[in-house]
Amino acid sequence: MKIFPAIDLLDKKVVRLYQGDYQQQEIFGDDPVAFAKGFEAKGAEYLHLVDLDGAKAGNLHYFDIAQQIAEQTNLFVEVGGGIRDEETIKNCLAAGVDRVILGTIAQKQPDFAKAMVEKYQEKIAIGVDAKDGQVAVEGWLEKTDAEAFAFCEEVVSWGTKTIIFTEISRDGTGEGLNIPLYQKLNQLNCEIVASGGVASLADITALKEIGVSSCIVGKALYSGTLDLVDVLNAAKEDVK
């Protein structure tokens, strides 16, 4: 199972939000490259990097940080947050980013997102952020009328290889994952990356048991609830 430690950036600092609320942030440091290197030193192979300023403003702010991490580590780096045009996608990929996440733009301009999926294939992931079963956009600040699972089905019809699905109500709360939801999502013909609320090694084991192949872990690593080495070991173990 792939484990993606998360680095969320706000004002170039490493932060975690509570349920996506920009007013409820906790700052953990001001050197995101050092955090990425630290994750790699513990055995991580993947990294989930989110530009929260970019998500809110609609353009990527911290391209330089993404580039530094790509250059200074061997991590598979996926980047999201305010990526709304092809030039930014090209620049990210040219800088060594392995996968670009399209979120708000996929919901608001599906024709553009579909074209990018067709052109860049596995290098594009679609980020679906759900609040009360509906898709949320603009850095989670705006809830749409789109039903989240139905939108995922539409996204898969484009040929999307990866959906990163976040349940906002659980993100940063430590409540644990909504396993039945991911069981349903995993029936789609697509790699599902589970995100939002990982609280224990039991969450990792439960995802493996239902066949979900990837998971993002954030707040639990920063708060010390989980140790990355333990998470990676749990992800490697055979499900009994």
Side-chain angles (χ1 to χ4, degrees):
M1 184 183 204
K2 299 174 187 171
I3 298 295
F4 287 78
I7 294 179
D8 289 1
L9 298 174
L10 197 62
D11 295 330
K12 291 205 170 187
K13 295 180 173 64
V14 178
V15 306
R16 299 303 299 170
L17 303 184
Y18 180 81
Q19 295 184 339
D21 185 349
Y22 283 73
Q23 302 306 312
Q24 296 190 64
Q25 60 168 283
E26 199 172 347
I27 299 171
F28 289 94
D30 56 8
D31 189 347
V33 179
F35 274 86
K37 289 179 175 178
F39 290 145
E40 185 176 39
K42 286 193 167 188
E45 297 176 33
Y46 305 91
L47 182 71
H48 179 76
L49 183 66
V50 177
D51 178 347
L52 292 172
D53 291 296
K56 189 162 57 170
N59 51 56
L60 192 70
H61 282 59
Y62 304 133
F63 175 81
D64 57 328
I65 294 173
Q67 185 171 28
Q68 287 170 39
I69 291 172
E71 288 175 351
Q72 296 180 37
T73 73
N74 291 312
L75 295 165
F76 176 103
V77 179
E78 63 181 21
V79 174
I83 299 172
R84 314 267 167 101
D85 59 74
E86 187 174 6
E87 184 180 3
T88 305
I89 293 170
K90 284 181 178 175
N91 288 341
C92 285
L93 296 175
V97 169
D98 296 281
R99 190 158 69 194
V100 174
I101 305 162
L102 301 181
T104 294
I105 197 75
Q107 210 281 321
K108 294 202 163 182
Q109 294 182 36
D111 289 345
F112 168 78
K114 181 180 179 182
M116 293 301 96
V117 167
E118 289 173 350
K119 184 169 182 178
Y120 295 100
Q121 309 248 341
E122 73 280 351
K123 293 189 178 295
I124 300 288
I126 302 297
V128 179
D129 303 325
K131 198 169 194 175
D132 305 321
Q134 309 296 116
V135 177
V137 295
E138 305 293 354
W140 299 355
L141 299 174
E142 176 187 323
K143 195 162 80 170
T144 71
D145 294 329
E147 198 275 318
F149 186 78
F151 182 61
C152 287
E153 290 180 307
E154 180 187 342
V155 163
V156 171
S157 76
W158 303 344
T160 300
K161 303 286 193 290
T162 305
I163 291 175
I164 299 168
F165 193 97
T166 305
E167 201 172 8
I168 296 169
S169 65
R170 297 194 181 218
D171 191 77
T173 66
E175 283 182 35
L177 290 171
N178 181 346
I179 297 300
L181 169 68
Y182 289 104
Q183 192 161 19
K184 183 180 179 184
L185 288 166
N186 206 44
Q187 295 167 9
L188 298 169
N189 184 27
C190 182
E191 178 190 8
I192 299 296
V193 183
S195 169
V198 171
S200 68
L201 297 180
D203 283 324
I204 306 299
T205 303
L207 283 176
K208 287 173 63 184
E209 286 175 346
I210 62 172
V212 172
S213 62
S214 301
C215 180
I216 293 168
V217 186
K219 180 70 177 290
L221 296 178
Y222 292 92
S223 65
T225 308
L226 287 176
D227 182 79
L228 181 57
V229 173
D230 294 336
V231 173
L232 293 170
N233 286 336
K236 287 176 191 165
E237 289 170 4
D238 293 333
V239 176
K240 295 180 176 62

